[in-house]
Amino acid sequence: MDCLDSDTLANSESLKAPGCPAFDFWERKAGRPLATLLQRADYDLVAQYSYIHFFVDRIIPALGPANGLSSKQTRWKSFMTDDHTPIELSWEWGNPGSPPDIRYSIETIGTLAGKIADPFNTLATQRLLEQLQHSIPQIDLGWYDHFTQHLLPNAQDLISYQESHATSLPTEPTSTSFIAFDQRRRGPMTVKAYFIPTVKAAFSGIPTYDLIIHAIHTLPQRRPETCQALRLLTNFIETHSRGAQLECEILGIDCTSPSTARLKIYLRSRQTSFDAVREVMTLGGRMDNAEPESAFNDLFELWQALFFSDKTTLPVAKSTELRHCDHRTAGILYYFNFSGDKAQPVAKVYLPVRHYARNDYQVAKALCGFMKRRMGQRWGRRYMDALREIL
């Protein structure tokens, strides 16, 4: 099996910035695990080298200082992960017969992040995307510029912050944007951007969801089908008891041509029963394109394996709530995908293993068992091998 050896990667002078503690830290903490995932997902050697070279050259310098290097250094607390690490790696399971894809998301952290000149860490992301236009020609920043104007703090907001120290602003999250990279096996890398309008909402007094909807409606290339799909989601939020409790978190976009770009709205619910999951994903029965019954049966099978593995009697009632958790990121996170000429959104759900499952091993075992029954043993075994090597 062709692969980039981790030691070879670390010792390659063409890829390494010698003597830089932050570089060494992120290469070890993120670069080597990424190399392992690419290898175990069976990317060819050319793709492995290309993606790792890009990561070392462009991404590692954008991750900021190493965690805990200096007690004198105030580390930016990224909302990317619960321990504030500004990067998250992802193994995306493919369809039966297809190999997985490896992805990652980051929050770029500038040297002035959290300081008076850049209190919400907005500068580094904009700078990196501008640089990437030269190395990834397919990037289109038209939508990114539009949503930056509508959803991120502007110059006047920063002046107000500097004058008042923004005592009314929420303490978490102060992160305002992320970038994600889909490492495709063929064709160019896909770049995505994510906006967290919490700070803008605090400055403007306008709810986060309303800010996002207004920003979408003011797009120059607004699609009628997208507006129709948005009305379905808005109606559910305004008129349904479960919809009324959804907390709007994030807007995601593809940094591609507006003719092909997708919009994704992320919403969190503190209701954690499977019945609630189904009702939100179908918008209370409003969607004709909702997943078939077999898909929800599969999802419930995985739900039980992840969250109720210690139960001797299965199935559990679908109305059973997961154990109580007060953490900021507790609950169920959903996103609704708006794309092309589709007049209804496509719903996806994040299963919150971080707060409700027993441990990493139990999660990996349950997931691989579930995937084995649908895709065979190969990729489940590769996934477990990757985890063992990384952890």
Side-chain angles (χ1 to χ4, degrees), residues 1-12 15 27 31-32 35-36 39 45 48-49 52 389:
M1 176 172 53
D2 291 334
C3 66
L4 286 178
D5 181 80
S6 294
D7 292 333
T8 302
L9 172 64
N11 294 324
S12 173
L15 299 182
E27 186 275 331
R32 296 189 191 188
T36 296
Q39 173 200 340
L45 192 58
Q48 288 184 55
Y49 185 88
I52 289 298
E389 185 173 337

Side-chain angles (χ1 to χ4, degrees), residues 161-234:
Y161 173 84
Q162 291 163 355
E163 291 176 347
S164 67
H165 300 290
T167 54
S168 63
L169 286 177
T171 56
E172 288 191 21
T174 51
S175 298
T176 54
S177 61
F178 301 145
I179 314 176
F181 301 87
D182 289 357
Q183 299 174 123
R184 300 168 60 186
R185 293 171 183 270
R186 293 181 177 83
M189 180 186 304
T190 301
V191 180
K192 298 175 288 190
Y194 298 85
F195 300 86
I196 308 172
T198 312
V199 173
K200 185 70 174 180
F203 276 125
S204 66
I206 300 172
T208 300
Y209 184 78
D210 293 348
L211 280 175
I212 288 174
I213 295 301
H214 175 74
I216 293 173
H217 283 316
T218 55
L219 277 170
Q221 307 89 355
R222 186 176 58 175
R223 297 182 291 230
E225 295 82 4
T226 297
C227 295
Q228 184 176 342
L230 282 170
R231 283 195 292 271
L232 278 178
L233 177 58
T234 301

Side-chain angles (χ1 to χ4, degrees), residues 33-95:
L34 177 61
T36 296
L37 291 176
L38 289 169
Q39 173 200 340
R40 295 298 182 181
D42 210 17
Y43 278 66
D44 65 54
L45 192 58
V46 172
Q48 288 184 55
Y49 185 88
S50 174
Y51 284 134
I52 289 298
H53 191 282
F54 174 86
F55 186 84
V56 169
D57 184 52
R58 295 292 188 176
I59 303 305
I60 287 182
L63 294 177
N67 293 5
L69 265 189
S70 170
S71 59
K72 298 178 181 178
Q73 212 165 22
T74 301
R75 184 166 64 94
W76 176 259
K77 291 187 176 182
S78 175
F79 191 55
M80 174 64 65
T81 59
D82 285 350
D83 69 355
H84 308 302
T85 299
I87 181 168
E88 185 174 72
L89 304 179
S90 169
W91 173 293
E92 182 189 31
W93 299 86
N95 295 317

Side-chain angles (χ1 to χ4, degrees), residues 6 15 18 43 104 167 207 219 239 291 298 337 353 358 375 377 381 383:
S6 294
L15 299 182
Y43 278 66
Y104 57 90
T167 54
L219 277 170
T239 65
E291 295 291 344
D298 287 346
N337 189 337
V353 296
R358 272 210 318 269
M375 302 178 66
Q377 296 187 9
R381 188 166 54 243
Y383 178 74

